[in-house]
Amino acid sequence: MRIDGKGRIDRTRPVTFSFDGRSYAGYKGDTLASALMANDVRVVGRSFKYHRPRGILTAGSEEPNALVEIVGPANQTPNTRATVQELFEGLVARSQNRWPSLRFDALEVNDLAAPLLSAGFYYKTFMWPRRFWEGIYEPLIRRAAGLGSLSGHHDEGVYEKAWAHCDLLVIGAGPAGLMAALTAARAGADVILADESSEPGGRLLADDGVIGDLPAAGWVAGVLAELASLPNVRVMTRTTVTGAYDDGTYGALERVGLHRRPRPNLPRECFWRIVAKRSVLTTGALERGIAFEGNDRPGVMLASSLPAYLNRYGVVPGQRVTLFGNNDSLRGVARSLMAAGVTVAAIIDPREDAPDEPGTTVHKGAQVTRARGRMGLREVVVRVGEREITVETDCLGVSGGWNPTLHLTCHLNGRPRWSEELAAFVPVDGAVPGMLVAGAANGSFSTHGCLAAGAEAARASLEALGRSVAAADLPQAEDAPYRIAPLWAVPGKGRAWLDFANDVTVKDVALSAQEGFRSVEHMKRYTTQGMAPDQGKNSNVAALAVLADATGRGIAQTGTTTFRPPFAPVSIAALGAGGRGAGFAPQRFLTSDQASRDRGAPMVEAGLWYRPGYFPKPGETTWRESCDREVRMVRASVGVTDVSTLGKIDIQGPDAGRFLDFVYTNTLSSLPVGKVRYGLMLREDGHVLDDGTCARLGEDHWLMTTTTAAAGLVMRHLDFVSQAFCAGWQVRFVSVTESWAQFAVAGPLARDMVTSALGHAPDLPFMGCAPVVVQGVAGRLFRISFSGEEGYELAVPTRYGEALFRDLTARAETMGGGLYGMEALNVLRIEKGFITHAEIHGRTTAFDIGMEKMISGKKDCIGKASAARPGMTGPLREQMVGLMPLTDTVLTAGAHLFAQGAELTREGSAGYVTSVGYSPTQQSHLALGFLRNGRARMGETVRLVDRLRGVDVLCRVSDPVFHDPKGEKLRA
C-alpha cells in the first residue's frame, strides 16, 4: 500500500503498466516491484522446481523471486528483476515459470511430489524402462525446464559498446563510494563513479539517518551537486560493474533505455570497458535471510528492503509487520516503519541480551519456526523458550546479518577470508591489483565508518599515483558497533528454504553431505545452490554454514564457491553490441579496395579482409579466362597485387633476436641487418602454427610477416610466449598490419618497374630489404616472392596506399602487365609448391610439409620437444606431394587419395587433397595434397576420389614444386 508523504517518486506523473494482462497504475520513479507492491500484488512468480508461489524478497539486483518477462515491440526479455526494472508508460510485464496462470499453476503438483524430487533426484530416477527416456521423460523434463521464454524472433533492439579511461574508478555510490569520489575529485583526479541504481546514494536513500546537520538524502544531494560541477568527474547511474579483468580493466553494463518507452534508435543497453589506473570497491553489503519452515511464502522479505520501499517509493508490503533477526539493524527498520504509521507487531530476536525497542514488543531468545499462508503470509509461529505463540502478520522482515559484496575481488582468482566477528566473508588485500575495498564491502557497517573508509581509500589510491590529497573533512554520522549472534537455520520438521530461486532447502544441503558431496563446489552442483540467475547472492553463505555444520567443519574450512564474472546478468546482445548482420565480424578493406572495384573485380573474403578475386577484361566471360591471363602475365611480364592483408608485427628490443629464436624453429638472431629470412612457427604440441618471413630492419628492430589467416593467432601466440616463458626479457612487439599498405610486384620485368616507381632502386639480393623513398614518402622495399618469379614488395604508410596502388597499376600496364587477384595468386603459389593454411591446417607437422630440417638442433624453440614425439615423423605420416592428373580432368580440394586397387573406404584412404588449380604454365590441372609416405612414392599413380562432386581420376605423384624447381627465376 502507498504511504502518503513518503518516497522519492514523482506523484504528479502517473504511469500505467500491465502485469499478466491486467492494467495497473504507478508513478514516475517506481520500479515494477514497488508499483506491484503498491497495488497489493503479492504473488509475482513461481519457484523453479516446485512451482511454489513467490513474492518480492528484496529491493535490489540480488532479487531471486520477482523475475518477469518484459515484452516490447521488438523483443521479449526474460528473467528481468522487477526490483531493478523501472516503470515507464506502457510497460508490459508477464510472470514466468507458470502454466496456465500465476494464480493456478498446474505444475504446483511438483510440490506435492517433493519427497520424490529431493536434491540430485535426476541422477537416480528416469532409469527404467530405458525406452521411456526419449519418448516420455526427456520431452517432459525439457518442457518444464528453464526460466522465462524468448519470443522466437530476432532481437531488433539497439545495443552499444563503449570504452572509458580514468585515474580512479569508484564502484558503488553509497556513503563510502560518494566520499571516495568526492575526495578524489577534489584532488583533481579523473574519476568515474558507477552505481547500478537509478539514483546514487545507496542505503542513505533508504535510511532515516542524519549526516552532519542534514538528512542523509540531503547530504547525498549536496555531494552529487558538487560532483556534477566538476569537469573531471563522470557519474554513471544505472551502470553495474560486472567484472574485474587484467590490467585494471573492468566490464560494466549500463541500462540506457530500459527505463524508457521504446523508440527507434534508442539503445537498450551499453557495455563498457573501463580502464582505470586505480579502483575503489564500495559496493556495500547484502542482507541474508534465516531459514525456517515456510520462509519462502509471499510476504516474507529481507528486513532492509522494507525501509527501502518505504523511503524510496512510498510503499509498504503490509499493514502489520513483524521483524525477525539476529542483529541490531532491525531497530532502525522498526523505527522507520512506526514513524510512517505502520504497525510493527513484534520483533523476534534470538539473542537473550537483545535491546528493547519502544513502541513494539521484543521477544528475546525467540525464533520464528514457521510461516503460514499459501498465496500470502497470514501468521508466524514463534518459539519463545519452551512455549510457542502465534503472531498475526501480513509481512515478515528477516535479517540474518550482512554479507560484504566482495564478488569483484574474487574475479582474478582471489579468495575471501572468514570473519568470526562479522559472521561473514570479507575481502583480502591485493586480490585485484590496484583495487582497494572500503565501507560495508570491507566489513565496516556504520555510516561514519563507511565515510572514513571511502576517504582513506581514495587518498591511498591517488597517493599511489603520485598525487597529493588534502585531508577529508568528515561529517558527523551514526557510528554504532555491529552486533550479531549467528543464526543460519531454525530447526524444524518442515522444509526450510535457502536458495529461493532453485528451491534448495536445508535438508538438500545436508543430503549432499550425507551422500559424499562434502566439497562446497560439489554441493553446489549436486543441489544447484547458487546456480540460478541471482547466483545465490543472499543464500550462499547460509548454505555454506549448513554444509559446515553437516560435515563437522568450520565455515572457514568449508570455504566458498568460486565467484566469476559477471556479477549481475548481462545480455548477450550487449556483450556483442554491433555484431548483428554485417556487424557480426569486422569488415576490413584494403586501401586499394575502391580502385579494385572500379575495375570490376569481385571481392572474396580472406579472413576478415575483402580481396579482389580477379580483374576481368572485356571479352572474358568466365573467371578462369581472367585467372589464366593473369598467371601468364606474371610469368611473362609483370603483375601487381595488394598484399597488405599479411600480418605485420613490429618487434624491438635487445632480446628481440633471442625471442624470435624461441618462437621460430630456425635461427633468426644471426640474420644480418637488411636481410629477410623465411621462418616456421610451431604450436606447443609440435604442429605447425604458421609460416612467414622476418626482416631485420636494425640491430634491435625486426618486422615479422605472417599469413593473412593467422595474423591474430600469431599475435596472441607471441603474447602468450612472452608472458609465460620470457618474463623479464627486453622485447616488445605490436601489430602494425593496418599501419602499412604493401604491394607485390612480380615477374621478369619486376626490377624495371620498381626502378621506374622509385627513380632509383637499391640493388637488393634475393631475401634482402632496405628503406626507400617512394615519390617523397618514406617506405620499405623487400625482395621476396610468393609467385616463383623475381619479386618485390613495396610498403608505404597506409594513408598513401591507394595512390601508390593506382601508380603501380598504370606503370605495370604500360609495360604489358597489370593487376592479378587471389585466384591467380593461388595458382602461382601452387605451381611453386608454396604452402598456405590449406596445408598447415593445424594437423600437419614440419615433417609432413618437408621442413623438418628447419627445426634447429642448436637451440630450443616452442614445440620442438613435442615435434620429436613418436608418431610425429616417419613413413606412416601423410606427407605433402604434388598431383597431376593423367587426363584433362578438374581436381577438387577435399578429395581422398587411394592406392590403385584399394577399397574406397575410410580405412583405405591414403591421403587427401588440400589445394587445386589449373596451371596455364603447365597446361594442366594441378593439386597439392598429403599422401602416406608420399615422398617415397614419387612417380606412382594414385586414385583421386571425391564422391560428393563425382570426381574419380588417376593422378601422378610428383614433387610439390612444378615450376622452376631450382628457383633460378626468383633469384635472378
Side-chain angles (χ1 to χ4, degrees):
M1 64 178 183
R2 290 285 184 192
I3 302 296
D4 292 337
K6 301 294 289 186
R8 303 173 63 80
I9 55 176
D10 187 349
R11 297 182 188 244
T12 66
R13 299 176 64 183
V15 177
T16 59
F17 68 100
S18 71
F19 179 67
D20 278 350
R22 182 176 176 181
S23 182
Y24 295 96
Y27 292 105
K28 180 68 175 176
D30 263 324
T31 63
L32 177 59
S34 68
L36 289 173
M37 190 179 293
N39 285 276
D40 295 324
V41 177
R42 306 194 73 183
V43 179
V44 295
R46 292 280 178 160
S47 66
F48 174 66
K49 186 162 71 171
Y50 299 123
H51 288 252
R52 289 168 64 90
R54 290 284 160 81
I56 298 164
L57 181 70
T58 75
S61 63
E62 69 274 21
E63 174 63 34
N65 291 345
L67 304 179
V68 300
E69 294 174 1
I70 302 299
V71 183
N75 44 53
Q76 178 176 313
T77 307
N79 295 323
T80 299
R81 292 148 292 167
T83 52
V84 173
Q85 176 63 57
E86 297 173 60
L87 219 56
F88 59 81
E89 183 64 36
L91 172 70
V92 177
R94 286 201 303 245
S95 59
Q96 55 188 37
N97 202 44
R98 82 291 187 277
W99 183 84
S101 69
L102 183 59
R103 187 154 192 87
F104 176 76
D105 182 5
L107 283 179
E108 193 176 0
V109 68
N110 289 0
D111 200 29
L112 301 177
L116 303 177
L117 302 177
S118 61
F121 77 94
Y122 28 79
Y123 299 125
K124 309 169 190 174
T125 53
F126 310 117
M127 309 294 285
W128 182 89
R130 294 184 63 180
R131 65 181 182 274
F132 276 31
W133 174 251
E134 291 187 0
I136 298 177
Y137 299 148
E138 186 180 27
L140 288 175
I141 292 171
R142 287 191 177 277
R143 179 161 186 163
L147 283 173
S149 62
L150 297 172
S151 65
H153 303 291
H154 291 294
D155 184 355
E156 298 298 333
V158 178
Y159 299 84
E160 291 185 338
K161 54 187 173 185
W163 286 259
H165 296 76
C166 62
D167 294 327
L168 184 67
L169 170 64
V170 181
I171 306 169
L178 289 173
M179 200 67 206
L182 186 63
T183 301
R186 287 172 174 173
D190 290 327
V191 177
I192 292 179
L193 174 62
D195 191 84
E196 67 178 2
S197 179
S198 60
E199 282 188 287
R203 67 179 177 87
L204 296 180
L205 301 182
D207 289 349
D208 291 324
V210 174
I211 298 180
D213 55 357
L214 294 173
W219 181 84
V220 170
V223 172
L224 291 177
E226 182 174 348
L227 292 176
S229 69
L230 298 173
N232 54 319
V233 178
R234 171 187 285 173
V235 178
M236 300 177 67
T237 56
R238 302 184 177 91
T239 303
T240 304
V241 176
T242 59
Y245 305 94
D246 291 339
D247 302 321
T249 303
Y250 297 85
L253 182 68
E254 180 184 8
R255 305 188 305 277
V256 180
L258 299 183
H259 60 292
R260 300 175 183 272
R261 189 168 190 168
R263 62 173 185 265
N265 300 319
L266 173 66
R268 289 169 55 80
E269 295 173 314
C270 178
F271 191 79
W272 289 83
R273 280 82 167 174
I274 302 174
V275 180
K277 296 177 182 177
R278 289 290 187 275
S279 63
V280 175
L281 184 68
T282 54
T283 43
L286 297 175
E287 195 170 28
R288 62 186 180 232
I290 299 172
F292 56 88
E293 183 181 350
N295 63 316
D296 66 328
R297 290 305 185 188
V300 179
M301 302 177 65
L302 293 183
S304 62
S305 66
L306 304 181
Y309 282 111
L310 173 64
N311 292 316
R312 293 197 64 172
Y313 309 109
V315 297
V316 288
Q319 299 179 351
R320 185 175 172 83
V321 177
T322 302
L323 302 176
F324 172 39
N326 59 354
N327 60 87
D328 291 346
S329 65
L330 293 183
R331 275 59 185 175
V333 175
R335 286 191 288 270
S336 293
L337 293 173
M338 289 187 291
V342 178
T343 300
V344 176
I347 296 177
I348 317 300
D349 197 319
R351 299 174 296 174
E352 296 290 350
D353 61 345
D356 293 322
E357 183 60 39
T360 187
T361 301
V362 178
H363 295 289
K364 302 179 183 182
Q367 298 176 346
V368 174
T369 60
R370 185 177 181 185
R372 291 174 176 154
R374 178 173 168 272
M375 303 301 285
L377 185 66
R378 298 192 319 272
E379 62 186 20
V380 294
V381 178
V382 180
R383 183 169 58 236
V384 185
E386 298 298 323
R387 62 190 179 94
E388 284 191 345
I389 63 173
T390 299
V391 178
E392 292 186 6
T393 183
D394 53 1
C395 177
L396 176 67
V398 181
S399 178
W402 295 82
N403 298 323
T405 311
L406 48 72
H407 302 66
L408 264 66
T409 67
C410 302
H411 285 180
L412 296 182
N413 292 323
R415 291 282 184 175
R417 65 175 179 84
W418 178 253
S419 169
E420 293 288 351
E421 179 185 3
L422 301 177
F425 284 98
V426 294
V428 297
D429 294 337
V432 175
M435 173 186 282
L436 296 177
V437 188
N442 200 32
S444 180
F445 295 143
S446 73
T447 304
H448 182 270
C450 288
L451 296 174
E456 173 58 24
R459 183 200 62 78
S461 297
L462 295 192
E463 287 188 354
L465 298 177
R467 290 178 175 269
S468 59
V469 182
D473 183 16
L474 295 178
Q476 293 294 317
E478 169 271 324
D479 196 18
Y482 178 64
R483 297 176 61 248
I484 184 172
L487 176 63
W488 311 105
V490 177
K493 294 182 180 180
R495 287 172 291 172
W497 305 89
L498 293 168
D499 187 324
F500 289 7
N502 271 356
D503 279 335
V504 180
T505 68
V506 170
K507 290 182 179 179
D508 290 333
V509 176
L511 178 63
S512 172
Q514 179 183 330
E515 298 206 354
F517 297 95
R518 300 164 62 88
S519 162
V520 63
E521 294 289 359
H522 291 165
M523 178 275 288
K524 172 182 176 179
R525 285 151 182 82
Y526 184 80
T527 64
T528 69
Q529 163 64 43
M531 294 174 63
D534 71 312
Q535 292 289 285
K537 287 185 174 64
N538 44 38
S539 62
N540 272 344
V541 174
L544 298 176
V546 172
L547 180 64
D549 182 65
T551 57
R553 298 173 293 178
I555 297 177
Q557 290 72 40
T558 302
T560 66
T561 54
T562 302
F563 298 110
R564 298 183 179 94
F567 169 73
V570 179
S571 61
I572 299 298
L575 284 175
R580 183 187 295 122
F584 179 74
Q587 293 178 306
R588 306 176 78 177
F589 300 102
L590 298 163
T591 57
S592 62
D593 183 79
Q594 190 58 53
S596 298
R597 293 177 190 268
D598 290 346
R599 291 174 173 268
M603 292 294 168
V604 296
E605 293 183 50
L608 298 176
W609 293 92
Y610 286 82
R611 299 182 69 177
Y614 55 92
F615 294 87
K617 293 283 189 181
E620 295 174 347
T621 58
T622 67
W623 69 269
R624 263 285 307 278
E625 292 179 272
S626 300
C627 177
D628 291 352
R629 172 183 52 79
E630 291 170 9
V631 172
R632 288 191 293 264
M633 174 188 70
V634 173
R635 297 289 184 221
S637 56
V638 64
V640 175
T641 191
D642 194 332
V643 294
S644 302
T645 62
L646 296 175
K648 295 176 278 292
I649 301 174
D650 196 290
I651 304 173
Q652 299 187 38
D655 290 324
R658 177 186 175 197
F659 179 69
L660 291 170
D661 284 348
F662 192 50
V663 295
Y664 279 120
T665 61
N666 48 325
T667 301
L668 270 295
S669 58
S670 60
L671 186 68
V673 175
K675 295 287 286 183
V676 183
R677 185 168 291 169
Y678 177 80
L680 191 69
M681 200 176 293
L682 303 181
R683 299 192 312 238
E684 285 188 292
D685 62 3
H687 291 84
V688 177
L689 173 70
D690 195 43
D691 73 328
T693 61
C694 197
R696 191 167 193 171
L697 306 180
E699 190 62 31
D700 297 328
H701 189 188
W702 309 70
L703 181 67
M704 176 188 292
T705 302
T706 76
T707 58
T708 297
L713 181 65
V714 171
M715 186 67 189
R716 186 173 65 191
H717 179 69
L718 296 184
D719 196 33
F720 165 72
V721 172
S722 173
Q723 293 190 47
F725 306 113
C726 306
W729 290 20
Q730 297 184 61
V731 59
R732 293 291 183 270
F733 46 88
V734 64
S735 173
V736 293
T737 302
E738 293 86 356
S739 302
W740 292 87
Q742 196 154 315
F743 306 96
V745 180
L749 302 180
R751 183 191 302 265
D752 294 339
M753 184 179 148
V754 170
T755 301
S756 169
L758 299 180
H760 172 74
D763 187 16
L764 291 179
F766 178 61
M767 300 299 276
C769 64
V772 294
V773 176
V774 188
Q775 301 177 28
V777 176
R780 295 168 178 167
L781 182 65
F782 307 87
R783 185 174 172 187
I784 50 182
S785 174
F786 196 57
S787 64
E789 301 295 328
E790 181 176 359
Y792 298 84
E793 291 187 11
L794 187 56
V796 293
T798 300
R799 63 180 298 189
Y800 303 107
E802 182 179 6
L804 179 59
F805 178 77
R806 293 183 184 275
D807 180 84
L808 293 176
T809 301
R811 293 177 190 275
E813 289 174 342
T814 61
M815 301 175 71
L819 299 170
Y820 64 102
M822 286 286 289
E823 299 293 350
L825 185 66
N826 190 51
V827 172
L828 291 166
R829 70 96 183 171
I830 291 175
E831 291 178 341
K832 278 298 293 179
F834 290 154
I835 60 174
T836 66
H837 275 266
E839 285 70 47
I840 50 174
H841 46 58
R843 296 186 293 111
T844 51
T845 67
F847 174 83
D848 298 342
I849 57 177
M851 296 185 184
E852 67 275 13
K853 293 182 180 179
M854 286 188 65
I855 303 179
S856 173
K858 299 179 180 180
K859 66 176 186 65
D860 194 13
C861 69
I862 294 292
K864 180 178 179 178
S866 296
R869 290 177 297 162
M872 300 291 277
T873 61
L876 295 180
R877 298 235 13 130
E878 294 164 337
Q879 302 160 17
M880 186 172 139
V881 297
L883 298 165
M884 183 176 288
L886 300 186
T887 59
D888 186 19
T889 306
V890 174
L891 306 182
T892 57
H896 282 267
L897 302 175
F898 298 87
Q900 289 192 83
E903 188 176 356
L904 301 184
T905 62
R906 178 177 60 84
E907 295 80 3
S909 175
Y912 55 93
V913 178
T914 55
S915 301
V916 296
Y918 178 78
S919 168
T921 310
Q922 303 294 320
Q923 296 186 343
S924 171
H925 290 275
L926 303 177
L928 298 178
F930 289 85
L931 181 66
R932 189 175 300 119
N933 200 22
R935 288 193 285 275
R937 301 172 67 173
M938 297 298 164
E940 281 190 21
T941 300
V942 296
R943 188 177 174 187
L944 183 152
V945 179
D946 185 344
R947 286 181 165 177
L948 186 65
R949 301 176 181 88
V951 177
D952 190 339
V953 60
L954 295 178
C955 296
R956 186 179 72 252
V957 180
S958 69
D959 189 281
V961 184
F962 299 97
H963 176 71
D964 188 25
K966 294 183 180 180
E968 294 171 342
K969 291 188 175 183
L970 56 82
R971 291 182 172 85

